[in-house]
Amino acid sequence: MSVASEKALVPFVSVDNMMRLVRSFGIERVLTDLASEIEADFKRWPLFDKISRVGSHSDVGVIELMPTSDGEMYGFKYVNGHPKNTINGLQTVTAFGLLADVESGYPILLTEMTLLTALRTAATSAIVAKYLMPKNSTIMAMIGNGAQSEFQCIAFKAICGITSIRLYDTDFSATKKVTQNLQGRGLDLVVCNSAEDAVSGAQIITTCTADKKCATILTDNMVGSGVHINAIGGDCPGKTELHRDILFRSEIFVEHPAQTRIEGEIQQLDADHPVTEVWEVMAGNKRGRSNASQITLFDSVGFAIEDFSALKYIFKNALSAKFYDYLDLIADPNDPRDLFGMLERFKA
Ligand code: NAD
């Protein structure tokens, strides 16, 4: 048992507690609530500190820090992306994050964010699609059936009204996993033999593959007029999913342009290629989809404000539902200036 005083104990949400929260609230409610939280923060975008994430790249992946603040709270996420990890039984993406009080600088929450990243990414994709997708969309192609995919499918059902998912992955066992995991969730699941097959008849195309290279998951001829593309797998320099020609036919929407120009699909384009910031559409400053034949593309890379919204949501809900432990993380001497004395008096 820690001897630290309560003010120095930091609430900690473990993976188990995150699962408890999602299972007890219901995943559709969590995704819908997160989407509202993200939408509300996007609408006050100018208030936030915004810097592109700080990436440390290697031949096999990337480790990133994603900080932001709204002036009252500060948050950051540590996240990795290692596409070959799954071969060794490890995940491509893992994460944890922290929320702090700006007034004192003290941490107020430390939490797992591997599950939370999948939830916030899906919530972001779906709330953005709500502004951009063709009216009354019901069919989505889901290309890449890995760790993120079920979260995406459920978010698009709960938030956008998607009823049918056309699944494709180069590894059939991944698709089989999704069909098993999503049984009984009110989605019509169609297993497809190719990406071409998957996009056939879909109004929304989600690409969520992982490979550290410039891949071509979608070629130009596969994208018909009027579709919305939710491209989330290309999120790192040298890692893209769409053929460049698709970008020239699309109205492109991004999170933070400075970050997306380095990491997103638009790294394939000139630095002045026009893009619209998603927050401006949500705030009513800019138009989203302007006509039924337009191709809209959300070039998603994941931005710190989405994680901040998710951290706030967990802070409110995990604490009120008591799904947390305490961590003895902050040294707490009786006299704040007597840190050394605290160490001297400590009996192991
Ligand atoms: P994962 O490794 O669990 O799954 C990726 C899947 O893609 C695998 O099943 C793999 O077989 C499949 N795949 C690879 N190449 C393919 C191809 N050519 N055609 C069809 N399927 C193919 O990874 P994950 O955790 O699901 O993440 C997927 C991607 O999303 C990663 O690149 C990750 O970095 C990215 N991501 C983006 C955001 C964001 O905010 N934009 C957030 C989280 C993850």
Side-chain angles (χ1 to χ4, degrees), residues 52-67:
S52 302
R53 61 186 156 204
V54 185
S56 174
H57 298 273
S58 66
D59 290 346
V60 289
V62 63
I63 295 175
E64 298 164 328
L65 284 179
M66 303 172 69

Side-chain angles (χ1 to χ4, degrees), residues 53 57-64 79-84 92-93 148 207-217 231-243 247 259-268 299-302:
R53 61 186 156 204
H57 298 273
S58 66
D59 290 346
V60 289
V62 63
I63 295 175
E64 298 164 328
V79 61
N80 77 304
H82 285 68
K84 291 200 167 53
T92 299
V93 177
Q148 310 300 317
T207 54
C208 188
T209 65
D211 213 342
K212 196 156 174 32
K213 64 176 187 193
C214 294
T216 309
I217 307 301
I232 62 175
D235 60 353
C236 195
K239 180 165 168 256
T240 55
E241 294 181 305
L242 309 185
H243 191 282
L247 309 183
Q259 183 179 307
T260 312
R261 289 200 191 275
I262 300 167
E263 301 181 350
E265 297 301 325
I266 56 170
Q267 65 186 275
Q268 304 180 67
D299 186 1
S300 158
V301 291

Side-chain angles (χ1 to χ4, degrees), residues 269-317:
L269 303 178
D270 290 340
D272 58 355
H273 189 94
V275 296
T276 304
E277 293 181 51
V278 158
W279 76 268
E280 298 241 51
V281 177
M282 292 188 185
N285 305 337
K286 296 266 172 78
R287 213 161 49 171
R289 168 172 291 276
S290 52
N291 62 63
S293 61
Q294 188 180 50
I295 298 168
T296 51
L297 163 62
F298 177 37
D299 186 1
S300 158
V301 291
F303 190 62
I305 294 174
E306 294 145 35
D307 297 310
F308 181 88
S309 312
L311 283 164
K312 270 192 317 174
Y313 175 78
I314 292 304
F315 181 66
K316 275 185 275 186
N317 290 287

